[in-house]
Amino acid sequence: MALNNTYDARLQQETAVGAAVQLLLLALLGSAIGLGPAGWLTGLVFAFATWAVLSRAVHRSRLRSFGPANRVTLGRATLVGGVTALVADSFESAPPVTLLVALTAVALLLDGVDGKVARRTGTSSALGARFDMEVDAFLILVLSVYVSTRLGPWVLLIGGMRYAFVAAARVAPWLTAPLPPSFARKTVAAIQGVCLLVAGAELLPRPADLAVVLLALGSLVWSFGRDVAWLWRNARTPVEVPVEQPQLLELAAR
């Protein structure tokens, strides 16, 4: 029991360090660009919510070590918190597009790192996969909010589709059945962040950004539709498939 308490205390320290780094990033952003009240409040809420949810998940998972892969994911979550604060602040003042794009680009690039680290170090876990997926999904949602201010509210469909799927699964449990692995699903998921980043950078003419985001949305609707159709067809005829939960915004499966 004492040994378990020691492991749990160490894991909780890791999550606390993550929250502290998040606060440090907010302070750096505040001193660099002068975050407004909305940016500060949103960033603080994100930091607290991430710490609280992750601490609870870590405690319930009974992991013996936080692991290097989860540290990478926690670093990405910190960057996503910075992006979230900047997007919230953009509703009050002109956003620092270069800084927002830089933080987002690093977060997207690191997305392929945590999975590789987990596999090479033999530290893959259900908690790590879920943590990775939730960080990815929330980043897509935040980017959708940002791009929607320029291209229209329909862009929110990209960020909200995964959460709508989760909500629908509570009403229709057959949506929670395992899906067969799909390279196409992972590719579609990966391009969402890239397309939203391109549109958010505002380097292309508005029609080009519109086409890029429409491409992202179209491919996502196709991916969702294909998986939902598969789940529906097999709802009354169970078949054995490799275990892969319906993570339709999974950018890097572990």
Side-chain angles (χ1 to χ4, degrees):
M1 180 66 70
L3 186 60
N4 288 337
N5 289 338
T6 299
Y7 283 129
D8 189 64
R10 290 177 179 175
L11 293 173
Q12 297 301 332
Q13 288 175 0
E14 298 252 19
T15 61
V17 169
V21 173
Q22 180 71 81
L23 296 178
L24 176 60
L25 177 59
L26 291 175
L28 292 174
L29 292 175
S31 62
I33 66 170
L35 278 178
W40 271 108
L41 179 60
T42 305
L44 291 173
V45 169
F46 180 90
F48 176 78
T50 301
W51 168 78
V53 173
L54 185 58
S55 294
R56 183 171 182 269
V58 162
H59 176 72
R60 296 179 63 182
S61 69
R62 300 183 181 276
L63 291 177
R64 295 174 66 89
S65 171
F66 196 67
N70 284 332
R71 294 188 185 101
V72 174
T73 308
L74 186 57
R76 289 203 303 114
T78 299
L79 296 174
V80 172
V83 173
T84 302
L86 292 175
V87 170
D89 199 56
S90 69
F91 287 92
E92 295 183 340
S93 59
V97 177
T98 301
L99 182 57
L100 189 150
V101 168
L103 291 177
T104 302
V106 175
L108 291 174
L109 288 172
L110 287 177
D111 181 49
V113 175
D114 46 13
K116 292 180 180 178
V117 171
R119 288 188 291 271
R120 290 180 180 177
T121 58
T123 55
S124 299
S125 66
L127 171 64
R130 181 63 182 272
F131 185 25
D132 181 47
M133 182 189 69
E134 295 299 341
V135 170
D136 295 338
F138 193 78
L139 177 58
I140 298 301
L141 176 62
V142 171
L143 291 176
S144 297
V145 171
Y146 180 67
V147 175
S148 71
T149 61
R150 180 169 173 244
L151 298 183
W154 60 270
V155 182
L156 296 174
L157 292 172
I158 295 177
M161 202 171 296
R162 184 256 174 181
Y163 295 99
F165 181 87
V166 171
R170 293 183 177 275
V171 180
W174 55 270
L175 289 172
T176 64
L179 282 165
S182 170
F183 178 76
R185 182 189 307 120
K186 295 176 182 178
T187 301
V188 168
I191 69 172
Q192 303 304 308
V194 175
C195 290
L196 290 171
L197 177 62
V198 169
E202 301 181 18
L203 297 176
L204 302 176
R206 191 175 185 280
D209 284 337
L210 183 63
V212 168
V213 178
L214 282 172
L215 172 65
L217 178 59
S219 64
L220 191 61
V221 170
W222 169 81
S223 181
F224 266 93
R226 188 186 67 156
D227 285 342
V228 170
W230 189 93
L231 290 169
W232 172 255
R233 287 195 305 269
N234 292 277
R236 297 182 180 180
T237 310
V239 294
E240 284 193 19
V241 296
V243 176
E244 179 174 330
Q245 293 300 319
Q247 300 170 357
L248 295 176
L249 277 176
E250 176 188 14
L251 301 184
R254 292 185 180 178

